[in-house]
């Protein structure tokens, strides 16, 4: 079958049809979805728009491949994942450019994402051969308890646009390592990276039907149809808390096993005994990685009164000096936001904060040019009821709030429905650990501006999610414990 390929700016070639059962298929309807370059608002490519029938064909393909893949030896699965890692390293440059083209992020961020994304294949290649169960004697002595791990079954993987490669590999890696087959539905804004990954996985030797990739303009109908099929036993979703709630309700109908990586509202806390130099570096990373479009982005910056002025001035100076521009240019440090809606949301959050008394130290405006640009912005004197302290900003805006003592800042940090990550800067390790224990979040970055690591369990508490990705935990999300009771 002919594969629809698009040759994008920069000479990158990507397939743009549906990837089902190891074949590229044009959508039966002929419908296609425009993919826009956020740096200039031009159409980059069009991708296939899958129907519900095509979703079901993907389930059929995943079901046909499932017994064979589950029976493949762990070493063989590991070798394929390792090869996928090597191919990502080989193609790192073009993948990074592709991510910058469709997502807009600065090339340096895109390169960082490709390296991070590839590591999930390497990590889960290593985990695939370590799916250990255990044996124990029942306390009564009456039986042996044997526990082994089996693949959970066909998995639906739904990913967001902000890390088009890493959110896909963070799910595909453990799914394949555990012996599951899957259907990946990437976000409509950034489908090209997912199709490039599908191509690369086929080259790595992933058998037909083990990974299927489909884009659709009807995410709800598509996901509902797949989740209604009793053969599908796993939903792994990364995206907003709002959509996560909808999917959890839907998954309840068939009691599908769910892993949910949802929204965040990360506090970034700087005590006055911290190194200001280190805290500024950490804040730049925690706030500006991906231009602020990260679930882990520092959303609320709390600074202790004694250093608040100096910290705010220095952060504003650094943020104001960033080069904003086309994500694909090597000189760019902050690319555009993903779409016009994202810019409108960021602008309205800043306007709301200013209307409630915030002062703009730098930025505070859209850029008057094509593309979805907003200036890196620092706000001080932010009122407690400003919306941006309570909602994900998802843009290059840093609101700073002054605090006086430890109990006060912990209460502020915890006053949110979210609980993904928190950042704490202090020169006193005991205080750092004490505060880390009291903050309600799945992850803490202590004197660091980043937590993401394929070898660590990534995930949130409260309404930031269920389950963990990465580490050995990520593999267990795609496994079921099988208990065998026996005696000999
Ligand atoms: P989103 O709107 O929730 O979309 C995420 C994915 O869900 C997309 O593929 C989307 O498809 C799909 N979707 C939308 N409605 C759906 C429905 N009714 N049924 C099934 N699928 C549906 O989130 P986003 O705007 O892409 O991403 C940003 C959010 O993701 C933020 O809240 C961020 O914090 C979160 N995030 C969390 C993590 C984490 O690890 N915790 C990591 C990254 C991002 P369409 O594109 O077709 O709408």
């Amino acid at each position: 079958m002919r594969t629809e390929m698009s040759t994008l700016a920069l000479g990158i070639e990507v397939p743009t049809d549906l990837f089902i059962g190891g074949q590229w298929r044009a959508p039966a309807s002929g419908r296609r979805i425009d993919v826009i370059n956020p740096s200039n608002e031009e159409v980059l490519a069009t991708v296939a728009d899958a129907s519900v029938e095509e979703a079901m064909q993907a389930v059929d393909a995943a079901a046909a491949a499932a017994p064979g893949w589950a029976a493949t030896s762990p070493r063989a699965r590991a070798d394929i994942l390792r090869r996928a890692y090597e191919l990502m390293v080989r193609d790192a440059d073009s993948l990074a450019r592709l991510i910058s083209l469709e997502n807009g992020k600065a090339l340096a961020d895109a390169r960082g994402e490709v390296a991070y994304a590839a590591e999930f294949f390497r990590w889960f290649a290593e985990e695939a051969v370590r799916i250990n169960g255990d044996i124990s004697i029942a306390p009564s002595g009456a039986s042996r308890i044997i526990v082994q791990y089996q693949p959970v079954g066909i998995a639906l993987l739904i990913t967001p646009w902000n890390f088009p490669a890493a959110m896909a590999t963070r799910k595909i890696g453990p799914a394949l390592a555990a012996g599951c087959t899957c259907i990946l539905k990437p976000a409509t804004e950034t489908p090209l990276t997912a199709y490039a990954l599908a191509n690369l996985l086929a080259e790595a030797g992933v058998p037909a039907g083990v990974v299927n990739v489909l884009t659709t303009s009807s995410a709800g109908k598509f996901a509902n149809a797949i989740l209604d099929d009793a053969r599908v036993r796993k939903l792994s979703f990364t995206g907003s808390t709002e959509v996560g709630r909808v999917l959890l309700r839907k998954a309840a109908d068939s009691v599908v096993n769910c892993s949910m990586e949802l929204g965040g509202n990360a506090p970034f806390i700087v005590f006055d005994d911290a190194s200001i130099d280190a805290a500024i570096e950490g804040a730049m990373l925690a706030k500006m990685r991906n231009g602020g479009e990260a679930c882990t982005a520092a959303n609320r910056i709390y600074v202790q009164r004694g250093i608040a002025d100096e910290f705010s001035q220095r952060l504003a100076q650094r943020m104001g000096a960033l080069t904003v521009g086309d994500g694909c240019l090597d000189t760019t440090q902050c690319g555009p936001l993903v779409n016009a809606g994202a810019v409108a949301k960021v602008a309205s959050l800043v306007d709301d904060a200013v209307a409630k008394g915030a002062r703009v130290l730098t930025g505070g405006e859209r850029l008057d040019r094509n593309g979805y640009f907003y200036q890196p912005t620092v706000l001080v004197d932010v009122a407690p009821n400003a919306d941006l302290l309570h909602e994900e900003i998802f843009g290059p805006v840093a609101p700073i709030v002054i605090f006086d003592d430890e109990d006060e800042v912990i209460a502020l940090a915890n006053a949110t429905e979210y609980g993904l990550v928190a950042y704490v800067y202090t020169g006193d390790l005991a205080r750092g650990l004490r505060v880390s224990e009291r903050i309600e979040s799945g992850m803490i970055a202590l004197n660091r501006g980043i937590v993401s690591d394929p070898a660590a369990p990534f995930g949130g508490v409260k309404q930031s999610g269920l389950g963990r990705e990465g580490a050995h935990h990520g593999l267990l999300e795609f496994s079921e414990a099988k208990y065998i009771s026996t005696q000999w």
Side-chain angles (χ1 to χ4, degrees):
M1 198 163 293
R2 199 175 72 86
T3 307
E4 189 66 42
M5 299 284 282
S6 277
T7 305
L8 308 180
L10 312 168
I12 299 169
E13 277 230 315
V14 254
T16 55
D17 279 342
L18 306 170
F19 188 62
I20 301 174
Q23 292 199 318
W24 294 97
R25 301 188 194 173
S29 68
R31 283 197 312 265
R32 303 190 75 79
I33 306 167
D34 287 346
V35 184
I36 308 291
N37 179 346
S39 292
N40 57 22
E41 302 180 41
E42 286 172 10
V43 177
L44 259 181
T46 67
V47 294
D49 186 356
S51 63
V52 162
E53 290 71 33
E54 284 151 342
M56 300 326 294
Q57 289 165 15
V59 176
D60 290 342
W69 185 246
T72 304
S73 72
R75 176 63 70 204
R77 298 202 298 267
D79 285 347
I80 289 173
L81 284 169
R82 172 75 200 195
R83 178 93 185 108
Y85 160 74
E86 284 159 4
L87 294 176
M88 276 193 86
V89 172
R90 181 196 71 187
D91 294 350
D93 191 58
S94 61
L95 284 168
R97 288 177 192 281
L98 183 57
I99 292 171
S100 283
L101 276 173
E102 65 174 352
N103 167 281
K105 70 176 71 175
L107 209 43
D109 280 331
R111 290 198 176 105
E113 180 183 348
V114 173
Y116 174 54
E119 281 301 331
F120 285 104
F121 285 155
R122 176 154 72 165
W123 173 261
F124 285 107
E126 292 159 352
E127 288 297 294
V129 292
R130 292 183 180 84
I131 308 178
N132 303 327
D134 52 64
I135 298 183
S136 59
I137 301 174
S140 66
S143 64
R144 296 298 201 271
I145 295 169
I146 303 175
V147 179
Q148 69 182 90
Y149 288 93
Q150 297 185 320
V152 62
I154 297 173
L156 171 60
L157 316 177
I158 302 180
T159 50
W161 47 263
N162 63 341
F163 288 93
M167 297 303 96
T169 61
R170 197 163 81 172
K171 298 183 189 307
I172 295 170
L176 267 51
C180 297
T181 60
C182 60
I183 298 144
L184 170 68
K185 193 217 85 61
T188 40
E189 276 94 349
T190 57
L192 300 171
T193 305
Y195 283 135
L197 287 176
N199 226 6
L200 186 142
L201 286 163
E203 186 183 346
V206 173
V210 171
V211 176
N212 305 276
V213 182
L214 290 85
T215 39
T216 179
S217 60
S218 315
K221 276 192 204 154
F222 178 94
N224 286 352
I226 292 179
L227 292 171
D228 276 336
D229 189 309
R231 294 172 294 177
V232 176
R233 298 313 311 145
K234 177 77 195 181
L235 169 63
S236 178
F237 172 76
T238 298
S240 60
T241 296
E242 192 187 351
V243 173
R245 286 190 195 104
V246 171
L247 283 167
L248 278 168
R249 282 189 203 105
K250 178 65 202 166
D253 290 344
S254 322
V255 194
V256 169
N257 179 317
C258 290
S259 300
M260 295 273 154
E261 295 288 347
L262 308 177
N265 180 6
F268 186 102
I269 300 169
V270 190
F271 287 97
D272 58 13
D273 58 5
S275 150
I276 299 189
D277 289 348
I280 292 284
E281 289 308 320
M284 289 302 292
L285 193 56
K287 178 73 252 180
M288 292 308 295
R289 179 170 170 241
N290 246 19
E293 292 178 310
C295 53
T296 50
N299 214 56
R300 306 168 280 157
I301 301 188
Y302 296 112
V303 187
Q304 204 161 11
R305 192 172 300 279
I307 56 164
D309 239 22
E310 182 183 351
F311 180 92
S312 306
Q313 296 300 335
R314 286 179 58 182
L315 187 66
Q317 193 276 327
R318 287 286 297 275
M319 292 278 280
L322 291 172
T323 307
V324 182
D326 185 323
C328 290
L329 298 177
D330 273 312
T331 47
T332 294
Q333 293 170 302
C334 176
L337 298 181
V338 73
N339 56 32
V343 179
K345 184 186 165 198
V346 169
S348 86
L349 285 173
V350 172
D351 293 349
D352 168 77
V354 169
K356 290 171 181 165
R359 272 189 305 128
V360 178
L361 290 192
T362 187
E365 302 281 344
R366 301 166 194 237
L367 286 195
D368 185 18
R369 55 174 280 183
N370 268 358
Y372 309 122
F373 292 95
Y374 197 88
Q375 293 173 335
T377 298
V378 175
L379 303 174
V380 291
D381 300 338
V382 181
N385 65 342
D387 291 344
L388 84 182
L389 296 180
H390 306 281
E391 291 176 30
E392 277 191 294
I393 302 170
F394 245 62
V397 178
I400 297 178
V401 174
I402 296 174
F403 73 92
D404 287 299
D405 67 48
E406 203 174 298
D407 284 342
E408 177 196 1
V409 78
I410 289 169
L412 287 168
N414 288 341
T416 169
E417 68 189 23
Y418 295 106
L420 188 62
V421 62
Y423 301 85
V424 180
Y425 273 80
T426 171
D428 175 350
L429 186 60
R431 165 189 264 172
L433 292 171
R434 186 169 66 232
V435 172
S436 297
E437 284 185 1
R438 291 181 62 197
I439 289 182
E440 297 161 356
S441 70
M443 302 178 286
I444 304 279
L446 181 51
N447 293 325
R448 284 177 56 74
I450 190 165
V451 285
S452 305
D453 189 320
F458 187 106
V461 300
K462 294 160 77 175
Q463 296 191 39
S464 284
L466 299 169
R468 295 292 180 269
E469 290 190 319
H472 192 66
H473 304 64
L475 183 74
L476 294 179
E477 299 278 326
F478 287 91
S479 311
E480 287 278 23
K482 166 69 64 70
Y483 152 52
I484 299 169
S485 175
T486 189
Q487 184 56 296
W488 57 76

